[in-house]
Amino acid sequence: MELFDFFRWDIIWNYRELYIKGIWATIVLTACGYFGGIFFGLFLGLGEVSKKKWIYWPCKLYVDVFRGTPMLVQLLLIHLAVIPTIFGQSMGWWVSGIIGLILNSAAYNAEIFRAGIQSIDKGQMEAARSLGLTHNQAMRKVILPQAFRRMIPPLGNEFIALLKDSSLVTVIAGSEILYVSKVVAGTYQRFWEPYLFAAFLYLVLTYGVTKIIGFVEKRANNSYNPRKRKGALNHD
């Protein structure tokens, strides 16, 4: 009871509108960064398994650089140096944050795609080529569909990691959950309530994502399970 009385939940309630905007910003940042990173990472991953050195080495260098440097440094460089140099001015934290998350996530997704593709037996590619498919057709119709099922868990983990890493956007004044908590803490000079509430919000979001990933993984496994597919057909 005393612990409950110690907490001032009214300061959270007073900033409820900012928290709602912060949650929305966190979700949008993560979604844009993740799906942009999936798209970009797919090409990087394909480049990493390419036998053409002029494709392989630039992709490999990109992945090593972005995986080997902190996202915090990447965000600051993009926001304070790269974008102002290219466009002559800052484009705002939204643009910098989304670009930073996409570029960083693409490097990790590229490794997931590379590992997924290389986990498929080489005989699959040879069999597809023997049927007359080109390399690109074999990759698109035979290799990637099989590899994708194996990629679901690590791709899900990458989404959760990116969701938590989106809090780093607060260093460029991004108004996501952590930034709102910093505002509340600075205003009231109280730290337990805003930061515990921020942790709670991240926990709820990551738990929800975990459940969604588990559902997608289960559906994907069922679609590749011959017995369950046969049962479903008989049921229909």
Side-chain angles (χ1 to χ4, degrees), residues 15-132:
Y15 278 82
R16 61 188 180 282
E17 292 183 1
L18 269 184
Y19 270 112
I20 292 173
K21 292 180 180 178
I23 294 170
W24 176 248
T26 297
I27 293 173
V28 173
L29 280 169
T30 305
C32 291
Y34 181 73
F35 290 108
I38 286 279
F39 181 77
F40 190 22
L42 175 59
F43 288 99
L44 289 169
L46 291 173
E48 283 198 298
V49 298
S50 175
K51 294 181 180 178
K52 299 177 181 178
K53 299 300 181 185
W54 62 274
I55 296 177
Y56 169 80
W57 281 112
C59 294
K60 177 66 174 172
L61 179 63
Y62 177 94
V63 171
D64 287 346
V65 168
F66 274 86
R67 291 184 72 207
T69 55
M71 184 189 287
L72 181 61
V73 177
Q74 296 164 15
L75 282 171
L76 290 172
L77 276 172
I78 291 169
H79 185 66
L80 300 175
V82 177
I83 289 182
T85 300
I86 295 175
F87 298 100
Q89 61 180 359
S90 172
M91 302 297 286
W93 67 267
W94 270 110
V95 174
S96 301
I98 289 174
I99 290 176
L101 292 178
I102 288 175
L103 295 180
N104 184 275
S105 180
Y108 288 92
N109 285 327
E111 283 297 279
I112 295 172
F113 283 118
R114 179 195 59 75
I117 292 169
Q118 291 180 337
S119 72
I120 303 301
D121 189 89
K122 292 182 179 179
Q124 294 286 317
M125 173 61 80
E126 295 171 358
R129 296 299 301 273
S130 68
L131 293 174

